[in-house]
Amino acid sequence: MARPRADAYSLLPCATSRALASIALSPGLGKDSPHHVRIVEVSPRDGLQNEKQVVPLTTKLELIRRLVEEAGVETVEAGSFVSPKWVPQMADSAAVLEQMTVKQGVSYPFLVPNDRGLVNFLDMVGPKGRAAGRSDEIAIFTAATDAFTKANTNCTIHESLERLSKVTSKALGHGIRVRGYISVVADCPYSGKVNPADVGKIAKTLLEMGCYEISLGDTTGAGTPGQMLNVLNECTRHAPSVRFAAHCHDTFGSAVANVLAMVNAGVRVVDAAVGGLGGCPYSPGASGNVDVESVVYALHESGYDTGLDLDALAQIGAWISQQLDRPNGSSAGRAILARAKVKSQSAKQSKL
Ligand SMILES: CC(C)(COP(=O)([O-])OP(=O)([O-])OC[C@H]1O[C@@H](n2cnc3c(N)ncnc32)[C@H](O)[C@@H]1OP(=O)([O-])[O-])[C@@H](O)C(=O)NCCC(=O)NCCSC(=O)C[C@@](C)(O)CC(=O)[O-]
């Protein structure tokens, strides 16, 4: 597998060059290797939440099963316990939690916005719940601007952090791990460019609350590698880069570049969605999440390991796009399937 070339490091900022140098020096791949990048597959939640048509429960369950069993995904964000009035598509998340195939060693976080959502989640996964022990992780979410926080959760950043602090401490008290999201880290659809220092301060607060990891959301997909690295630099004042995840949307076509820049700077977790599904209902015009097929292709070709089966991801991306009656949003997925078709045709011809 190709490794980044040592002579390229001198061109990079110091932190990036150190991170890449350690990659080149460390042999071997696998989960514990410094080359390993964990993919958080967000398609069942972030990917589907914005779909206008009702996606059948059976399709959601099959998507989760295939991602885990066929592609080897380690973390699947499976749904959300938000208000169904705000995001109707996620109204069946309790049923998803109860019925999804659960594989040992795989984490299935659910998004929780407030105490009501946490209570509903705990009622399900607690010892007497209908989904006892099926998930031990939630994701909480806030944003870097008041305008977006208001649009998404009907409160200011300050109010959301107060609310989430109580949610986090209650969740941790029940043995539930908490992942934090910060949306609009580079650009806000309502108030424009975001100051990276503001993101750093919110990240610090979420870390102090007890979030084990913070996902940095380029919700509008307007961020660039330089902007995302500025955001990361502000955040790493408070915790090492491995505590942060890249969550990039692809509206302006720079999501894969943003992801690679962040991984080269030491980030080891990337959120992505098969087939490039998704979009936030409160980020008008933003396109889907970066497609997991392109991310995995780019990471593998750059010397990183994800443990995922790229061919299986391409198949799943094509399948779910067909289910949703929409074009496959993954250029890498389409290319992989087209090449596989040519290969199987020439294999058939050579047998004749
Ligand atoms: C936070 C609220 C609830 C505030 O919404 P609100 O209207 O201020 O809440 P409320 O407390 O006044 O309650 C209104 C109604 O909702 C009910 N309710 C209240 N909470 C819940 C709950 N948890 N579960 C079920 N029902 C709930 C509550 O009981 C009440 O029902 P009513 O009395 O009218 O019948 C709302 O704004 C909300 O649910 N927002 C979620 C929006 C959302 O899910 N957005 C997408 C996810 S974030 C995202 O996609 C970005 C991310 C993470 O991917 C990263 C990135 O890309 O940037």
Side-chain angles (χ1 to χ4, degrees):
M1 189 170 284
R3 296 254 183 276
R5 285 187 306 123
D7 56 358
Y9 304 150
S10 55
L11 301 173
L12 297 164
C14 198
T16 311
S17 115
R18 273 199 305 274
L20 279 178
S22 73
I23 288 161
L25 292 173
S26 315
L29 297 174
K31 275 187 193 179
D32 298 327
S33 130
H35 317 296
H36 185 72
V37 177
R38 182 166 58 90
I39 300 292
V40 176
E41 229 299 341
V42 294
S43 61
R45 195 279 302 170
D46 206 0
L48 297 182
Q49 70 184 7
N50 212 19
E51 284 295 315
K52 297 290 166 278
Q53 56 176 331
V54 177
V55 180
L57 175 61
T58 49
T59 306
K60 295 180 180 178
L61 297 172
E62 181 65 355
L63 175 61
I64 295 168
R65 187 197 68 72
R66 291 187 70 170
L67 288 170
V68 171
E69 289 187 354
E70 295 174 11
V73 172
E74 294 169 69
T75 309
V76 184
E77 198 174 74
S80 60
F81 282 77
V82 298
S83 166
K85 287 184 184 154
W86 283 63
V87 184
Q89 187 62 253
M90 291 290 107
D92 60 356
S93 286
V96 170
L97 173 55
E98 191 179 355
Q99 295 176 44
M100 66 188 180
T101 315
V102 171
K103 188 176 170 192
Q104 214 184 353
V106 175
S107 193
Y108 302 86
F110 282 74
L111 217 62
V112 162
N114 56 9
D115 185 64
R116 168 82 189 272
L118 179 63
V119 167
N120 291 348
F121 176 80
L122 290 174
D123 280 352
M124 294 289 298
V125 300
K128 292 184 182 154
R130 299 203 312 271
R134 295 173 71 78
S135 170
D136 63 357
E137 181 170 344
I138 60 165
I140 57 170
F141 54 106
T142 184
T145 68
D146 275 326
F148 190 84
T149 316
K150 278 245 176 223
N152 200 28
T153 50
N154 202 20
C155 61
T156 62
I157 299 172
H158 180 74
E159 287 162 348
S160 95
L161 292 173
E162 272 186 352
R163 191 189 272 178
L164 296 175
S165 168
K166 290 179 193 144
V167 167
T168 302
S169 82
K170 188 166 174 177
L172 293 174
H174 283 81
I176 302 295
R177 300 196 311 151
V178 183
R179 185 173 201 250
Y181 274 109
I182 307 174
S183 287
V184 297
V185 298
D187 166 82
C188 171
Y190 310 106
S191 42
K193 287 267 175 287
V194 171
N195 180 356
D198 293 345
V199 183
K201 283 182 205 146
I202 297 168
K204 180 173 185 273
T205 308
L206 291 175
L207 289 163
E208 284 168 357
M209 276 181 202
C211 291
Y212 77 91
E213 181 173 290
I214 310 295
S215 179
L216 300 171
D218 178 21
T219 317
T220 62
T224 60
Q227 283 173 315
M228 295 307 281
L229 288 180
N230 286 340
V231 169
L232 185 64
N233 279 338
E234 288 295 334
C235 293
T236 51
R237 288 169 186 267
H238 311 293
S241 49
V242 289
R243 298 279 302 274
F244 297 95
H247 181 106
C248 298
H249 287 250
D250 203 26
T251 319
F252 286 80
S254 54
V256 173
N258 293 347
V259 164
L260 281 180
M262 291 176 80
V263 170
N264 285 339
V267 164
R268 287 293 175 271
V269 184
V270 176
D271 302 353
V274 79
L277 297 183
C280 176
Y282 300 100
S283 178
S287 72
N289 292 270
V290 65
D291 61 293
V292 71
E293 300 90 319
S294 295
V295 167
V296 169
Y297 174 78
L299 288 173
H300 288 183
E301 291 299 314
S302 306
Y304 297 98
D305 161 53
T306 63
L308 302 193
D309 183 329
L310 185 52
D311 292 330
L313 288 171
Q315 297 282 354
I316 300 167
W319 167 78
I320 189 67
S321 304
Q322 204 176 30
Q323 297 296 310
L324 301 177
D325 197 20
R326 55 181 272 169
N328 183 351
S330 171
S331 48
R334 294 194 306 269
I336 289 162
L337 295 175
R339 284 182 182 200
K341 200 169 167 187
V342 170
K343 215 168 155 187
S344 99
Q345 277 165 352
S346 51
K348 270 185 204 154
Q349 274 170 356
S350 64
K351 273 190 194 160
L352 293 175

